[in-house]
Amino acid sequence: MTPLIAGNWKMNGLRAESAERAQRVARAAAGVAAELWLCPPFTAIGAIEPVLRGTRVGLGAQDCHARGNGAHTGDISAPMLADAGCGAVILGHSERRAEHGETDAQVRAKTEAAMAAGLMPIVCVGESEAERLAGHAVHVVCGQVAASLPDGFSGVVAYEPIWAIGTGRTPTEADVAEMHAAVRAALRDRLGEAAGNAVRILYGGSVKPENARVLLRIPEVGGALVGGASLDPDSFLAIAEGASGK
Ligand code: PGA
């Protein structure tokens, strides 16, 4: 499977700087074997869409509502994202689970909505530090996989240990390998053999050019979800080149 590298810009970037950043990624993308996605904040989607149109870089968002329209002040629906030119959406990121109280059931409903709108969902799962220290990491994460994915799921899962996000800390190679193998097994249980094997499992949490090559060659790591380092096009591209085995 082609590795997938997605940049999660979080709540960063005004339109002009976002368009310029996207331009720099798009220009270099032709030489990168990995599949690339950029996920800017909602307000920058309109500025970036013409920049990425017709390039090898996909445009994604960072959340959507479970309903297509209605009285939901401040929310954005999956059909709206598709209409704005998005092809993917990050769902259930730990920052949304923590700051907005999103539950597995809500993530599942959003994922269903994204798929119905033709978007590729990137569903995030991951344990807290306390859960890891208590020895519950695999149990917690596989529970999230089972409860956050709808029947017939097709898309991407991102394993992001919460304690590794934005901290500069990463799990050991053995821990990543153990978790990704467990997530693969949970995907097969949830979706059946063929569909479970078809899902790419990204690693996320302090991915940098310096550690990308090592992380990305761990078995069952099918790419990376990159936060902080994706705000610098050179770093993002260096990570993508690491994924391409360059
Ligand atoms: P980070 O964020 O790369 O800054 O650790 C990853 C993420 O939250 O998706």
Side-chain angles (χ1 to χ4, degrees), residues 126-138 140 161-164 169:
E127 83 284 0
S128 68
E129 182 150 43
E131 288 162 341
R132 174 154 292 272
L133 291 174
H136 299 154
V138 166
V140 166
I162 297 168
W163 51 273
R169 296 163 59 206

Side-chain angles (χ1 to χ4, degrees), residues 28-228:
V32 176
E35 185 180 322
L36 301 181
W37 290 85
L38 294 179
C39 304
F42 292 133
T43 49
I45 287 173
I48 292 180
E49 190 277 328
V51 174
L52 297 185
R53 196 186 304 152
T55 73
R56 292 192 55 249
V57 185
L59 177 60
Q62 301 173 17
D63 180 42
C64 70
H65 198 273
R67 302 212 179 239
N69 61 275
H72 303 288
T73 303
D75 278 314
I76 304 280
S77 74
M80 289 170 183
L81 294 177
D83 180 54
C86 289
V89 59
I90 297 170
L91 294 169
H93 190 280
S94 61
E95 286 152 15
R96 293 210 59 86
R97 290 178 187 262
E99 294 177 20
H100 299 268
E102 285 189 16
T103 63
D104 288 336
Q106 284 168 326
V107 174
R108 177 180 169 146
K110 290 177 178 213
T111 303
E112 252 171 337
M115 287 167 55
L119 302 175
M120 176 181 75
I122 302 173
V123 178
C124 303
V125 293
E127 83 284 0
S128 68
E129 182 150 43
E131 288 162 341
R132 174 154 292 272
L133 291 174
H136 299 154
V138 166
H139 177 74
V140 166
V141 168
C142 291
Q144 288 176 332
V145 168
S148 301
L149 302 185
D151 295 344
F153 174 77
S154 76
V156 173
V157 168
Y159 166 58
E160 299 201 301
I162 297 168
W163 51 273
I165 294 175
T167 59
R169 296 163 59 206
T170 51
T172 64
E173 281 177 63
D175 285 344
V176 174
E178 180 196 30
M179 186 62 82
H180 279 244
V183 170
R184 175 66 67 208
L187 286 167
R188 287 199 200 103
D189 277 355
R190 176 74 187 87
L191 305 169
E193 193 75 12
N197 284 335
V199 174
R200 276 174 291 191
I201 310 169
L202 312 185
Y203 169 78
S206 295
V207 178
K208 307 268 181 280
E210 303 76 51
N211 61 20
R213 209 173 288 268
V214 168
L215 288 165
L216 289 161
R217 59 150 210 261
I218 297 171
E220 295 291 8
V221 174
L225 182 55
V226 186

